[in-house]
Amino acid sequence: MIHIVVCAKWIPDPEVTATEFKIDPESLRRAEIAGLALVMSPYDEQCFEAALRIREQADEEVKITALCLDTDPMIKLFRQAFSWDVEAGFFLCDPVFEDSDGYTTSFALGTAIQKIGDVDLILTGRQAADGDEGMVGFGIAEHLGIPVLPCAAEVKVQDGSVIIERVLDNGFETLETPLPAVVTVSNEIGEARRPSMRQVMRAARQKPTVWSAEDIGLDAAQLDTSAMRLTVEDIFVPKVDHSCEFITGETPGDLAEALVGKLRELRVIP
Amino acid sequence: MSATGVLIWAEIADGAATASSYELLGLGRRLADDMGGPLSAVVLGPESAAAIEQLISRGADSVYVFDDPDQSEFHTDAALLVLEAAADKVEPALFLLPHSSYGTELAPRLAFRNESAPAMGCVDGRVEDGKLLLTRPCYGGRARAVVSFRSAPAIATLRPKSQEPLAAEPGRQGETISLDINIPPETIRVNVRERRQNVEQGVRLDEAEIVISGGRGLGGPDGFKILEELADALGGAVGASRPACDLGWYPQAHQVGISGKTVAPDLYIAVGISGAGQHMAGCAGAKVLVAINKDPDASIFSYAHIGIASEYQEILPEILELIRR
Ligand SMILES: Cc1cc2nc3c(=O)[nH]c(=O)nc-3n(C[C@H](O)[C@H](O)[C@H](O)COP(=O)(O)OP(=O)(O)OC[C@H]3O[C@@H](n4cnc5c(N)ncnc54)[C@H](O)[C@@H]3O)c2cc1C
């Protein structure tokens, strides 16, 4: 059997427009905006897609477990995960995670994965689409002392090894390592499939196992603000210090002429 | 006494330090001077000799070199040991890596092994009352976070095109120190079966002075033809938004943005691109930003210097004709 754990996070919709986006100066967090959708971080959805493809192609049994760490009940996240027919869900839910950073998050996830036990492959997104940090997959791997294959455009499991196509700045590489291992998944995998209505209905009845920090054998002192490695001193929305000069004209020809004239005047085109 | 120096990892490509290495030196020099410490660089690989002089002339006080003929193939597992050893020797206040494919892997792994966490994708830094502060985009490029570190050394990656490289100063003196590190074979757990470089035609996107990018508003792959013609006529390169790449309209290697390439050309023309933070994070450094979008309320116009609110199909052929004339 191949046991895959997918780590997933629930975030404010990353496609929110700039005008809808605000930072709360008090808490230095993203301001809550009424009606703004929360979604699964898109790279994490793509992790489930990668896991489902492995399950379809494998000639042995594949078990997929969803794992999430947060402070609020993640009912929707697990409903979405179960609608892809994942076999199990674990939810690390504790108020102490309120101020977690990449270090404490991967420490807690790594510890939970040890407790889940017999895990072959761990999938995380290449980064979360809110913090854009891209460190948790590496943190889990270092915590567990296992190899990590980053930024996968394709993931395959074969004869006890995992093989990925890694997206590089200027090309690709094919990497292989024996299981257990961590793989971080990139958007080149393609969009996650949509579950059927029947799958969605059935998922509503399934519940994850909920663990507190204590349940996985960790103290608050290992996870609270005092354990964080980075301090966020400030968050702000950068101001654009110029306004847009709109070019106007009667015909497309006039517009083109005005633009080309302007760009030549600025000496940015020959 | 607490650490005051800065160490950078200079990546080597085609026998020379990469352009982003010089940006790392630029920021590293400024921060090291502010803290009153030295600036060191570490390089790996058989071609590093040629790069050492360049690094010293552009600001490094000392360069640590790992060049073991048995380790000529690049493996991140081995590189990690070398970077760890360099950091142990230098004991810097800050270890700065490029926000490249390998830099974004090595920085967090290095940090976690050191029981710390890295600041990823920074665009700037300063020292305030002796405290190191680094700035990084977050929330899909919509916001900037300023972070400080609770453990030493601080480990961070720097996004390309965010800093001015220092001009080369010929004859500048520095020290070269060779690193003698044993890499036990069992450290390398990942087998690199194959490495393939994208073949680039024409001007490289990240080096082009003029970039013309297309988005979902082009309506299909055909829309990119006129962008290519225009780029050819201007000696520029073509970029694309992520949806345009995800939809297969243009190769993924041309994606501009937070999960693609960062460009800072003299001129960036965004055609049929709405101006999401994730896209702008890759092109906001352009000197002149032009937006062509049929929706006058599109976000892109709040970043653009010059805007044309019109269908691109009507306007681009006219522009091309004027340029070619
Ligand atoms: C984690 C994460 C990472 C991401 N990374 C990136 C990244 O690196 N790069 C990136 O680009 N995106 C990235 N995105 C996606 C990003 O959030 C936006 O969805 C994307 O940039 C929008 O692409 P677009 O502007 O091409 O498409 P749209 O937002 O659909 O905009 C199309 C625009 O074209 C205009 N238009 C339509 N027809 C015409 C016409 N005939 N003439 C002129 N204009 C027309 C429309 O008015 C519209 O403004 C990322 C998203 C996430 C969640």
Side-chain angles (χ1 to χ4, degrees), chain A residues 11 13-16 41-43 127-130 132 187, chain B residues 140 142 159 214-219 240-244 246 249 255-261 271-282 292-296 298-300 308 310-313:
Chain A
I11 61 165
D13 187 350
E15 299 283 356
V16 54
S41 181
Y43 295 118
Q127 66 204 52
D130 53 354
D132 288 319
N187 52 292
Chain B
R142 287 173 188 85
R159 282 194 82 89
R216 187 149 42 198
L218 293 191
S241 74
R242 191 168 109 180
D246 284 351
W249 297 354
Q255 182 186 318
V256 171
I258 201 157
S259 52
K261 297 229 159 47
V271 186
I273 293 180
S274 61
Q278 289 91 342
H279 186 81
M280 301 320 292
I292 301 175
N293 192 308
K294 70 173 183 186
D295 171 9
S299 302
I300 187 90
I308 297 188
S310 145
E311 304 252 350
Y312 83 91
Q313 294 91 331

Side-chain angles (χ1 to χ4, degrees), chain A residues 16 130-132 142 165-166 169-170 172-174 176-177 225 229 231 233-234 236 242 245 247, chain B residues 101-102 109 113 115 131 139-140 142 144 146 148 150 189 191 193-196 198 303 305 307:
Chain A
V16 54
D130 53 354
D132 288 319
E142 289 301 329
E165 284 296 290
R166 174 191 199 167
D169 296 325
N170 204 24
F172 282 90
E173 62 188 13
T174 311
E176 177 185 11
T177 197
T225 16
R229 277 18 184 204
T231 304
E233 305 273 353
D234 191 16
F236 60 95
H242 61 262
E245 175 189 338
I247 290 186
Chain B
S101 294
Y102 296 131
R109 292 182 65 192
R113 287 196 179 185
E115 301 212 338
K131 189 164 167 185
Y139 294 115
R142 287 173 188 85
R144 300 272 180 284
V146 180
S148 64
R150 298 215 189 149
R189 296 175 297 186
N191 170 22
R193 280 194 180 177
E194 199 192 340
R195 237 173 223 148
R196 302 183 300 286
N198 295 330
Y303 297 95
H305 301 90

Side-chain angles (χ1 to χ4, degrees), chain A residues 76-121:
Chain A
K76 285 195 179 151
L77 179 136
F78 282 99
R79 193 169 288 176
Q80 187 171 338
F82 281 122
S83 72
W84 281 308
D85 295 329
V86 308
E87 282 78 9
F90 287 90
F91 179 33
L92 296 182
C93 181
D94 202 303
V96 72
F97 299 134
E98 182 72 25
D99 285 310
S100 55
D101 67 358
Y103 183 82
T104 49
T105 302
S106 28
F107 178 57
L109 289 172
T111 309
I113 289 166
Q114 275 169 322
K115 185 169 158 93
I116 292 170
D118 293 323
V119 173
D120 300 301
L121 179 63

Side-chain angles (χ1 to χ4, degrees), chain A residues 133 229-235, chain B residues 118-120 122 124 126 131-136 144-149 155-156:
Chain A
E133 291 186 301
R229 277 18 184 204
L230 293 176
T231 304
V232 177
E233 305 273 353
D234 191 16
I235 296 193
Chain B
M120 300 296 291
C122 298
D124 207 359
R126 62 181 195 272
K131 189 164 167 185
L132 176 66
L133 298 172
L134 298 182
T135 306
R136 58 176 301 272
R144 300 272 180 284
V146 180
V147 299
S148 64
F149 297 84
I155 296 174

Side-chain angles (χ1 to χ4, degrees), chain A residues 39 47 62-63 113 142 149 152 158 195 210 221 260:
Chain A
V39 296
C47 288
V62 174
K63 175 178 173 182
I113 289 166
E142 289 301 329
L149 309 182
Q158 230 167 50
V210 182
V260 171

Side-chain angles (χ1 to χ4, degrees), chain A residues 74-86 195-208:
Chain A
M74 284 291 113
I75 293 168
K76 285 195 179 151
L77 179 136
F78 282 99
R79 193 169 288 176
Q80 187 171 338
F82 281 122
S83 72
W84 281 308
D85 295 329
V86 308
S196 70
M197 207 50 211
R198 202 173 55 90
Q199 286 175 306
V200 173
M201 306 276 278
R202 211 175 34 209
R205 292 195 296 270
Q206 283 166 282
K207 298 272 173 309

